[in-house]
Amino acid sequence: MADDQRNAIPELADPDRSPEAWKSAPAFPLWQGVPPGGSFAKPVDLTADFAPEMLANWPADFLRWVQTPELRIFRPQRANGAAVLVMPGGGYAFLSIRNEGVDIAQRLNRYGYTAFVLTYRLPNEGWHPRWAVPLMDAQRAMRLIRARATEFGVDPARVAALGFSAGGNLAASLATAFAQRLHDPVDAIDAQDSRPAAVGLIYPVITMRAPATHALSRRMLLGAAPAAELIALRSAENHVDATTPPLFLAHALDDAKVPADNSLMMAAACRAAQRPCELHLLQEGGHGFGIGCEGTPASLWADSFRLWLARNGVA
């Protein structure tokens, strides 16, 4: 791609290009000042990962170039006092803030949940170590919600997490590595617990091992040639133990981007560790169905998730 074509790519941080519901949601930065992990650097060459026509006409609801990680809060009309931290996917190259952010938050609001959609840093945008910064933000988001629970009107003991695709990898990492120390504490917020009360994983990337992994997510998170130790570290199925919170998984068997083997291996790890787990496999639905099309099985997972959360004390 020529330099003039690259310069024509719209600035995705421009709030005027975001969905209206996204723009109107109050935003809370995760960190005061520069976050741990260095400084932002906009990637220049993404031609190996995206077609030129997509780069030149990038969707407004596929957010990139995250300089300030933050939470967007979506409040229900009748709050039940519980909260869900939502992590959109996008292969760790962007954040799908509409179908795996706004749409999900609005459905959770219907159930009475206060929804916090996380804009986490993307690892290919200059941060160090790249494999750690999304998890830093997820841990910090849980801590921030709990530290300001009274202000937000939520019970700090009833905060769940929900992730999609690469956001599912992040949610699975949070579920299994919530106690992993990734940076020195920066303030009193970092003294809060970052373990979610329960975690939903929707068509998640679980493993970083081929052939089941999602190639783009692995490359963005770990780099082009990661060491075997790093692959093992960020493969969530390796780290399920007695402290892992209850897990809910939903995956379509015809998912051509992230094989359903990811959810199957996470469910198997939960069974081996004797941890609570519920797995929903759909005959069809593909990848990235978000809240699902009405009248299809993919549209039913959210109701099942709501019932499951209630059974696990998050309602």
Side-chain angles (χ1 to χ4, degrees):
M1 179 182 287
D3 288 340
D4 58 346
Q5 287 177 289
R6 287 198 187 97
N7 292 335
I9 298 173
E11 288 286 346
L12 299 175
D14 179 359
D16 291 336
R17 302 188 68 249
S18 303
E20 192 63 39
W22 181 260
K23 289 188 289 184
S24 62
F28 298 86
L30 296 183
W31 311 93
Q32 297 301 316
V34 178
S39 58
F40 168 82
K42 184 193 299 184
V44 176
D45 188 3
L46 292 175
T47 56
D49 301 301
F50 300 100
E53 57 270 20
M54 183 172 181
L55 286 171
N57 300 282
W58 193 268
D61 51 358
F62 284 6
L63 187 67
R64 286 193 290 129
W65 306 338
V66 178
Q67 300 182 58
T68 304
E70 63 185 17
L71 288 171
R72 298 263 172 163
I73 184 170
F74 296 79
R75 298 183 183 275
Q77 289 187 343
R78 295 184 178 180
N80 62 10
V84 180
L85 172 64
V86 179
M87 287 165 266
Y92 284 122
F94 62 89
L95 301 173
S96 184
I97 61 172
R98 186 188 300 275
N99 80 314
E100 294 168 358
V102 172
D103 292 352
I104 302 303
Q106 291 175 340
R107 176 60 64 87
L108 291 168
N109 287 167
R110 283 170 46 186
Y111 300 146
Y113 291 95
T114 300
F116 297 85
V117 180
L118 175 60
T119 302
Y120 54 88
R121 287 173 289 170
L122 299 169
N124 195 38
E125 295 183 345
W127 311 100
H128 299 285
R130 63 189 297 161
W131 58 266
V133 289
L135 183 53
M136 285 184 198
D137 289 346
Q139 290 178 342
R140 178 73 174 188
M142 290 295 301
R143 291 168 177 151
L144 180 62
I145 293 168
R146 289 191 165 122
R148 301 175 66 174
T150 300
E151 173 188 349
F152 295 143
V154 301
D155 180 351
R158 293 186 291 145
V159 183
L162 175 62
F164 300 79
S165 194
N169 177 264
L170 182 54
S173 296
L174 181 63
T176 55
F178 57 86
Q180 185 177 357
R181 182 169 174 173
L182 300 172
H183 63 87
D184 292 332
V186 299
D187 54 29
I189 292 173
D190 283 334
Q192 295 284 335
D193 187 4
S194 63
R195 180 185 184 271
V199 178
L201 306 173
I202 313 303
Y203 42 85
V205 181
I206 294 296
T207 191
M208 289 290 129
R209 292 188 176 91
T213 192
H214 180 237
L216 175 63
S217 296
R218 170 171 143 160
R219 188 164 64 255
M220 292 293 103
L221 184 64
L222 305 184
E229 294 80 7
L230 188 55
I231 292 171
L233 179 66
R234 288 280 71 95
S235 293
E237 76 278 10
N238 293 338
H239 308 294
V240 176
D241 61 21
T243 69
T244 302
L247 296 182
F248 175 100
L249 300 111
H251 219 125
L253 291 169
D254 67 346
D255 190 330
K257 292 186 177 180
V258 178
D261 301 82
N262 282 267
S263 288
L264 288 165
M265 66 178 62
M266 195 62 170
C270 286
R271 292 190 68 193
Q274 298 184 336
R275 297 305 299 148
C277 178
E278 181 163 316
L279 172 62
H280 294 251
L281 293 175
L282 309 175
Q283 177 180 316
E284 56 188 18
H287 189 76
F289 49 77
I291 208 65
C293 295
E294 188 174 352
T296 69
S299 69
L300 303 178
W301 73 264
D303 283 333
S304 296
F305 180 61
R306 174 179 62 87
L307 295 171
W308 176 85
L309 282 176
R311 296 199 312 274
N312 285 276
V314 187

